[in-house]
Amino acid sequence: MGLYDREYVRGREQGFFLGGNRTAVTDLIIINAAVFLLQVLSASGQPGMPDESVVVRWLALHADVLNQPWRAYELLTYGFVHDTSSMMHICFNMFALWMFGRDVESIYGRNEFLRIYLSMVVLGGAVWLLIRYFTVPSVAWPFSEVLGASGAVVGIMVLFAMHYPHRTLLVMGFLPAPAWLVCAFCIVLDLFGVGGSVAHDVHLTGAAFAFLYRWSGWNLGTPFTGKWTRKLRSLRRPRLQLHAPKQDEPEEPVVSSADQVDRVLAKISEQGEASLTRDERRILEDASRRYQQRRR
């Protein structure tokens, strides 16, 4: 079996698939579209109240959750409802998720991408609640609500720009600009509060989380494998050394099989080098020596 036929080095196909093995990005877009359709079908139809539907009442995040903690689920569900008074809200969010999310998911994998996305939804909602707690009178909490996936989508855009800062994007479909510049421009707009009824604090929370995630080397599936944790572990564990033996060293007996090497490499791909045991490091060192000897 060739190297690129092995499971741990196969890339995830990108695109929008409605069949089996869909990407997380596809699933998120389908869920958002389905909830939006339910919003439209359940809307009251009253003039000036296009969003007054049972879906919004149950799923949007309301500031009075602080007085009704059993509704804490709204910290997650608000990220899947959108403003039905304008198709631009959901269309822009889903287009940005599709454009930036595919590459980000291909880097982190389906499960970790979902953990990142949902974490940004929840954290954005939590920050929004705390700000309303200190800035909005409690009598107005029942009338204060937030909805939409924008905070998580902004965070995904920041991750994309940090991985591909010089990727060219077409702003408004015709103006080329590097990804880092487009991302920086959007963040500046949020910092200065440019826009109408936009939850800038939710956007900035998603952007801040994405920056810290990328900078620190977090992995939400294994939260204690970040950059600083790996440095601490490296002080207690010998470094993995792949080298050729000296000329006068006798050839060591073979102690590792191809299956053992595959299992160790798959573990590195999933959990990182820091997760290896001493025996697993010896298996790789032995395989490296034998490979070097065959090349002589």
Side-chain angles (χ1 to χ4, degrees):
M1 182 171 61
L3 174 63
Y4 293 97
D5 294 324
R6 293 183 167 93
E7 185 66 29
Y8 49 81
V9 293
R10 290 178 186 167
R12 181 179 296 275
E13 294 184 11
Q14 297 187 9
F16 189 89
F17 303 103
L18 295 178
N21 298 322
R22 293 192 303 265
T23 63
V25 169
T26 300
D27 286 339
L28 289 170
I29 292 175
I30 291 174
I31 293 171
N32 277 274
V35 173
F36 185 81
L37 180 60
L38 288 175
Q39 287 181 249
V40 173
L41 295 177
S42 64
S44 65
Q46 299 178 23
M49 300 178 63
D51 275 331
E52 196 60 31
S53 71
V54 65
V55 177
V56 173
R57 288 197 299 271
W58 277 94
L59 301 185
L61 178 59
H62 301 83
D64 59 351
V65 166
L66 295 169
N67 292 333
Q68 305 176 48
W70 58 88
R71 290 168 51 201
Y73 67 88
E74 292 180 2
L75 285 166
L76 177 64
T77 57
Y78 84 93
F80 295 90
V81 289
H82 291 81
D83 180 9
T84 57
S85 65
S86 172
M87 289 290 293
M88 287 300 297
H89 190 204
I90 186 171
C91 287
F92 179 81
N93 279 344
M94 295 303 101
F95 175 73
L97 176 60
W98 175 79
M99 184 167 65
F100 300 117
R102 293 172 302 156
D103 284 308
V104 174
E105 183 178 354
S106 70
I107 295 170
Y108 296 107
R110 174 187 175 83
N111 292 338
E112 181 66 4
F113 178 86
L114 283 173
R115 286 189 286 264
I116 294 169
Y117 184 90
L118 298 179
S119 295
M120 289 189 292
V121 171
V122 172
L123 285 175
V127 169
W128 181 87
L129 274 180
L130 289 174
I131 292 176
R132 297 308 173 281
Y133 179 81
F134 291 106
T135 61
V136 176
S138 58
V139 294
W141 286 355
F143 310 102
S144 181
E145 65 182 24
V146 66
L147 66 167
S150 303
V153 171
V154 169
I156 295 299
M157 179 182 67
V158 170
L159 278 177
F160 176 91
M162 293 184 75
H163 281 284
Y164 307 105
H166 302 293
R167 180 80 64 86
T168 300
L169 303 177
L170 294 179
V171 180
M172 295 183 292
F174 67 91
L175 183 62
W180 72 265
L181 182 59
V182 175
C183 181
F185 178 74
C186 292
I187 292 176
V188 168
L189 292 180
D190 281 317
L191 284 172
F192 287 94
V194 177
S197 56
V198 176
H200 300 288
D201 42 6
V202 179
H203 291 190
L204 293 173
T205 300
F209 178 87
F211 175 81
L212 290 174
Y213 179 91
R214 171 62 174 154
W215 175 78
S216 66
W218 286 341
N219 184 301
L220 300 180
T222 51
F224 300 106
T225 58
K227 180 167 59 176
W228 304 113
T229 305
R230 288 196 296 269
K231 286 185 177 181
L232 291 175
R233 286 182 176 177
S234 67
L235 298 177
R236 308 193 311 260
R237 183 170 294 169
R239 281 190 161 293
L240 177 63
Q241 295 180 353
L242 303 179
H243 59 82
K246 296 180 181 179
Q247 295 291 340
D248 56 351
E249 284 185 356
E251 182 176 348
E252 295 185 8
V254 175
V255 297
S256 60
S257 67
D259 289 339
Q260 287 177 312
V261 173
D262 282 347
R263 284 196 294 270
V264 175
L265 291 176
K267 185 176 181 180
I268 292 176
S269 175
E270 295 173 359
Q271 304 178 26
E273 179 189 325
S275 66
L276 296 184
T277 64
R278 187 180 298 272
D279 289 340
E280 289 168 337
R281 290 169 180 271
R282 287 175 178 170
I283 289 174
L284 283 190
E285 291 174 2
D286 174 74
S288 174
R289 292 191 188 99
R290 290 188 289 111
Y291 175 74
Q292 293 290 342
Q293 288 168 0
R294 287 199 301 268
R295 294 187 61 187
R296 290 173 181 271

